[in-house]
Amino acid sequence: MKQAIYGIILFIFLALPPVVDLAESIMAIHMHAQMPLIGIAGMLMAPYLQQKFPRFFEKWNENGVPGIVLFLIVFIYWVIPRAMDDALASGAVEVFKFFSWAFLIGVPLRLSWPKLTKAWQYIVLLVVAVSYSIMAVLYLFSPDQLCNNYLIVDQRILGWSFLLIVFVIILYILQDLFIDKSAYEAE
């Protein structure tokens, strides 16, 4: 229950108008800080929701795949530049952003990830890496302004941050595949 309270507090804090204005004033912070933090708020609320509605999650997310598919669909939607622009231009889309990142990304990811096999986890990470790679190329090499609310220099910074995240994801997968963790565990 404590975790859910922390999630609600984080969610409310992120929804405060001054915090929203500050987070959305810089494109990279909007994409790589505000949105994931909303998702983390949802992840913190997930165990409480699972306890409150156990039959729903048992029925619809038995092996974790439906939750991960929902996560990927909504996640890929929010990577599209137009979606970020719409969130800045429309209050309704802004509300949807908060709802979708908390309850359609954070909750399913938290409840589905442990149920997935290692292979499925790698597939999800690779889908995220590929989508981020595509967006990095788009933001770095597009001569035009993709988001009306941000400058081209903001796009370039976001493109480089996408590349950095892709590098970290690939590095994580490689170290997870090739490093024997049992050698580092205490006996």
Side-chain angles (χ1 to χ4, degrees):
M1 183 62 181
K2 230 183 212 184
Q3 210 176 73
I5 292 171
Y6 294 147
I8 292 168
I9 291 170
L10 178 60
F11 187 82
I12 291 170
F13 173 75
L14 292 169
L16 294 174
V19 177
V20 169
D21 289 343
L22 179 64
E24 292 176 351
S25 66
I26 300 169
M27 193 177 197
I29 292 176
H30 186 191
M31 176 64 78
H32 296 311
Q34 182 196 35
M35 291 182 185
L37 282 172
I38 298 168
I40 289 170
M43 292 173 97
L44 290 171
M45 292 184 258
Y48 175 75
L49 293 172
Q50 185 179 29
Q51 182 182 18
K52 209 69 169 147
F53 307 105
R55 294 184 50 97
F56 174 79
F57 291 107
E58 287 172 8
K59 182 177 180 182
W60 295 105
N61 197 27
E62 185 179 345
N63 60 0
V65 174
I68 286 297
V69 169
L70 176 63
F71 158 77
L72 287 173
I73 290 169
V74 178
F75 175 80
I76 289 172
Y77 168 76
W78 282 110
V79 172
I80 299 170
R82 176 64 193 237
M84 228 179 6
D85 243 3
D86 287 345
L88 295 172
S90 167
V93 178
E94 180 80 13
V95 169
F96 175 69
K97 177 181 77 175
F98 273 81
F99 173 80
S100 64
W101 269 92
F103 301 107
L104 302 179
I105 289 180
V107 172
L109 183 61
R110 170 83 184 262
L111 298 179
S112 300
W113 193 259
K115 296 178 181 180
L116 297 177
T117 63
K118 246 341 178 185
W120 274 106
Q121 290 176 356
Y122 292 146
I123 290 169
V124 171
L125 289 172
L126 288 173
V127 167
V128 170
V130 167
S131 64
Y132 271 17
S133 299
I134 292 167
M135 295 314 298
V137 169
L138 184 66
Y139 280 121
L140 288 173
F141 299 111
S142 174
D144 299 323
Q145 188 176 1
L146 297 174
C147 291
N148 295 330
N149 296 297
Y150 295 109
L151 300 173
I152 290 180
V153 70
D154 286 329
Q155 288 181 189
R156 302 289 185 267
I157 293 169
L158 185 63
W160 285 110
S161 63
F162 273 129
L163 278 181
L164 178 65
I165 293 171
V166 169
F167 175 74
V168 169
I169 290 171
I170 291 170
L171 196 65
Y172 169 76
I173 292 172
L174 290 174
Q175 72 85 27
D176 199 45
L177 284 172
F178 295 112
I179 293 178
D180 181 21
K181 292 177 211 74
S182 65
Y184 299 101
E185 294 175 0
E187 293 181 24

